[in-house]
Amino acid sequence: MKFKCKMNDAGSMRDFTNVANTVARMSKQCVLRLTQNSIYFNIADDSMAMVWTKLDKNHFFVDYLVAGKSVEFNEIYMELNTGMLAKSVTSLKTVARSVKIKLTNKQQPCLTFDIELSSISAESRLCIHDVPVTIIPQKKWSEYNEPNIERYDISLEMPQFKHLRSVMERIKSMSPILILSADTNGVLAFKVDTNAATITVHFPNLTVLDCTSNNEISASVDIKKFHAFLAWEAVHPTAIKCNILNETVININLNLENYLQIKYYIPAIES
Amino acid sequence: MKCVVSGGNIKILARAIQMLSKIGEEMFVQPQEDSLSFRSVNGSNSSFADITFHENYFSYYAYEDLDESDSLKCKILIRSALTVFKIPSLINKQIETCHIQLDANSTNLCFILKYKNNIIKTHLLPILDCETIRANYKKEGTVNHLCIQPRVLNDVVQNFQQNLLEITIEVLKDKILLRNYIDETSNLSNETRTQLVFGMGEFDEYKINSNTTITFCLKELRAILHFAEILAQPIHIHFDCAGRPIVFICKTLGVESNLVLATLNPDDDLGSQSTTHTRPNSVLKNSAKKPTKAKGKIKSLSKTVFGKLANKYPTNTNTEKIESSDKISNASETSSPNNNNKFNATNSPRVNSAKVIASNSNTNKRENDNSSKQNAFSSLLKRKSNQEIHSPDGGDKDDLVQNSPPKQPSKKAKLIFKKCFQTTFNPESLPGYNNIEVEDSGESD
């Protein structure tokens, strides 16, 4: 089992840090999946919203090497503490020149970050962080698979983050449940129900990318989980897409120039 | 005693109090003939800070009654001093002068702040006690001496986690290694281990006469870094070896701040986990295994080291007559051997180090792991779930890591029944000897 890679580019290191920080804000633990083409940060938990973040190796890394247990299972899955990961990579955002990431065995499996920092003298500082990880055996890999949803009832563009944020900040404390509904005219509605009032916010004129029926599609979700997704603004996605399967699941797709993809699943709850 | 601080110097004063507030709860104010000292010591007496403002720092300084020097020393709560300079970012713009006044036998220390718009604020800080402290340490002539800009050191320390308690510094001839100190109580798998290497080129002065590894508290270091930033002067670091105090000095013409920290004495130099050796050679053996061995010891040490200091420190210091601070450090070095031991006291509780013997051989396994990584992780996982399985095939005995001895479950029982085998033991002396709980069984039937 072997993994190593290197990041030189300041932009990539910044994006990587942003991803690590946002993942840390979502969950305490995450699963890092290393494949031949990409690395994934998965947040998968029964009670939590689920996130699949995919980073394209060609954009982020040089000297990328993953060797799994065998040719057949040429991937590595590991679980790690997101807080430790995020703290270890903070220096990447500003002062680092390059970083090597590798899987090491120092008394226990560790994800090691060899960070070369700029310094005032000719030789640069070398900072090494060992983040302990737990390797996930192959037989448990299937637990971390992405939900397989063939087609959603409706797919449409999401409004801009700043509009979402201003709405969500106001309604998030009103009710534990957010009812999200969309129709084929490109109107996305956020609705909260309280004893005193019912508030619905409409975002009109959104592009509908795909839909299966002309009916209004809606799903009720935990408002905190939906609000949590706003943290992904930190990575400055270029496109946001919202997919809804009627009363089953909401899937939000964030994309940054095709090298960073975030899929955010929020299961619907009974309303 | 009366003095006036004006202009930008007020900011320095505010930062000084901020720094002391990170060290201890109380602040000792000690006016001297030509200087004013603020001192603080932390609860366990493992760190001591002294900030001395010289005459030229003040726009006016009057010691006045020299005869009553004893009555002028005082102790106040640092929290009350902090409230005087609550908004340090604002004060240097609005406050013109700050008067500090301390009268003999007064119950209050008086801070008078004069604002630009003719507002005058008077703070009376209640005096808790009339005592002072001083610490014995030598500032000069230590084996190792470093000098570094606070900004550089700050950048370096930034790489460590904010809540990190202790840091280990390993100094070598040409470079310095900083590591986070991993406490043995914490599980290895919950801690990021960090090591940072930086070269001597980043120091203003670099004199290392012996390679040393020392461990001390990071919080206090951060405090003096914050203070040194405003002085914009390099920090001088003096230290000998593990177990001996490390002294940080940052001074300008008007202000001198000293910070003395106790360092951990783990008997030998294996304070924290050396994490960075990956090659399965002899280096790995030593560096990767020893920490496991050190674990048991260090726990008790860190408690005893600081605890011991706590006992010794105040009794010695409070009672002593005040001398000028320069004399203290040099003069008493020889005169009172007792004092010299203060930080050295860390040497005595070293007894327990000898008894750390046991069988831990999973480290040998580890080497195999390195050569064949395929098995490595499966076995590691297994080990993880079983909480350290020890395989008894302990290969090379020299490098064998020795764990603390397994707990003897029978110990208590032994203790209880041991008495029965003592020749001088008379069972009749025990209370309740005549009571019969259960009658003899058998025979009579």
Side-chain angles (χ1 to χ4, degrees), chain A residues 1 69 84 87-88 91 105-110 117 119-121 125-130 132 134-135, chain B residues 152 155 159 161 188-198 202 273 275-276 278 288 374 377 380-381:
Chain A
M1 210 177 284
K69 207 170 120 192
M84 292 198 278
K87 276 174 192 154
S88 302
S91 60
N105 182 19
K106 300 175 179 179
Q107 302 182 56
Q108 70 177 95
C110 285
L117 300 166
S119 76
I120 56 164
S121 71
R125 292 173 203 151
L126 259 182
C127 188
I128 302 167
H129 297 284
D130 290 334
T134 314
I135 302 291
Chain B
V152 177
D155 281 352
N159 285 291
Q161 300 196 7
L188 253 186
S189 57
N190 319 329
E191 292 258 10
T192 318
R193 282 161 294 161
T194 304
Q195 172 170 297
L196 197 139
V197 186
F198 60 120
E202 304 204 43
Q273 307 283 353
T275 67
T276 45
T278 41
Q374 294 289 49
F377 289 106
L380 273 161
L381 277 172

Side-chain angles (χ1 to χ4, degrees), chain B residues 73 132 134 136 315-323 328 332 336 339 342:
Chain B
K73 57 190 180 185
T132 187
R134 23 156 283 212
N136 269 291
T315 46
N316 282 329
T317 46
N318 289 342
T319 49
E320 271 159 20
K321 287 268 173 188
I322 323 125
E323 301 163 43
I328 299 165
S332 55
S336 54
N339 283 337
K342 257 176 228 165

Side-chain angles (χ1 to χ4, degrees), chain B residues 11-263:
Chain B
K11 207 171 177 181
I12 297 179
L13 181 64
R15 281 271 180 110
I17 288 170
Q18 267 187 358
M19 173 189 158
L20 292 174
S21 74
K22 301 218 171 90
I23 310 288
E25 301 271 291
E26 289 150 350
M27 181 167 99
F28 297 86
V29 180
Q30 165 94 62
Q32 285 134 18
E33 205 180 325
D34 54 356
S35 63
L36 175 64
S37 294
F38 292 152
R39 291 167 191 161
S40 187
V41 66
N42 75 345
S44 57
N45 289 307
S46 60
S47 59
F48 168 84
D50 176 335
I51 301 178
T52 301
F53 299 97
H54 296 293
E55 219 168 356
N56 51 2
Y57 164 84
F58 301 100
S59 11
Y60 171 79
Y61 185 84
Y63 187 52
E64 289 167 356
D65 28 22
L66 288 163
D67 305 334
E68 300 199 61
S69 58
D70 262 7
S71 56
L72 274 182
K73 57 190 180 185
C74 71
K75 181 170 89 174
I76 58 170
L77 263 187
I78 224 153
R79 247 181 304 134
S80 60
L82 265 181
T83 51
V84 179
F85 302 102
K86 222 170 193 174
I87 348 159
S89 54
L90 288 176
I91 54 165
N92 68 334
K93 286 173 193 150
Q94 290 180 3
I95 299 176
E96 273 184 331
T97 55
C98 169
H99 296 237
I100 307 172
Q101 201 171 328
L102 179 62
D103 299 321
N105 300 321
S106 164
T107 52
N108 290 309
L109 175 68
C110 182
F111 278 80
I112 303 166
L113 302 178
K114 287 199 174 144
Y115 287 72
K116 282 195 173 136
N117 43 10
N118 287 335
I119 295 174
I120 298 175
K121 255 191 194 173
T122 307
H123 294 264
L124 296 175
L125 314 185
I127 292 173
L128 302 176
D129 218 333
C130 285
E131 60 174 4
T132 187
I133 49 161
R134 23 156 283 212
N136 269 291
Y137 53 93
K138 53 176 181 177
K139 292 190 236 173
E140 306 295 330
T142 48
V143 178
N144 302 312
H145 173 217
L146 303 173
C147 180
I148 190 169
Q149 292 293 336
R151 186 178 295 272
V152 177
L153 194 52
N154 207 21
D155 281 352
V156 167
V157 169
Q158 283 308 322
N159 285 291
F160 291 87
Q161 300 196 7
Q162 206 60 40
N163 54 2
L164 179 66
L165 293 178
E166 286 141 355
I167 196 166
T168 301
I169 292 189
E170 186 175 350
V171 285
L172 303 171
K173 283 275 174 281
D174 56 344
K175 61 182 177 187
I176 281 208
L177 283 80
L178 260 75
R179 287 195 288 272
N180 55 337
Y181 175 75
I182 309 259
D183 196 70
E184 69 308 324
T185 50
S186 55
N187 188 345
L188 253 186
S189 57
N190 319 329
E191 292 258 10
T192 318
R193 282 161 294 161
T194 304
Q195 172 170 297
L196 197 139
V197 186
F198 60 120
M200 58 185 291
E202 304 204 43
F203 289 83
D204 295 357
E205 259 182 77
Y206 193 90
K207 282 184 206 153
I208 298 299
N209 292 319
S210 77
N211 295 352
T212 309
T213 306
I214 50 173
T215 302
F216 53 88
C217 289
L218 185 58
K219 193 183 102 184
E220 283 84 0
L221 174 63
R222 283 208 164 107
I224 196 171
L225 285 177
H226 186 63
F227 180 61
E229 220 165 77
I230 200 170
L231 296 184
Q233 292 295 321
I235 292 185
H236 293 263
I237 309 170
H238 300 268
F239 56 98
D240 289 319
C241 56
R244 300 281 301 156
I246 180 168
V247 184
F248 298 87
I249 299 170
C250 183
K251 59 180 168 185
T252 63
L253 284 175
V255 189
E256 172 172 351
S257 64
N258 292 353
L259 173 69
V260 189
L261 297 181
T263 62

Side-chain angles (χ1 to χ4, degrees), chain B residues 418-438:
Chain B
K418 197 170 69 183
K419 273 186 177 175
C420 307
F421 301 106
Q422 286 170 357
T423 45
T424 54
F425 178 67
N426 178 10
E428 288 173 27
S429 66
L430 291 177
Y433 159 71
N434 287 323
N435 296 353
I436 294 167
E437 305 288 343
V438 181

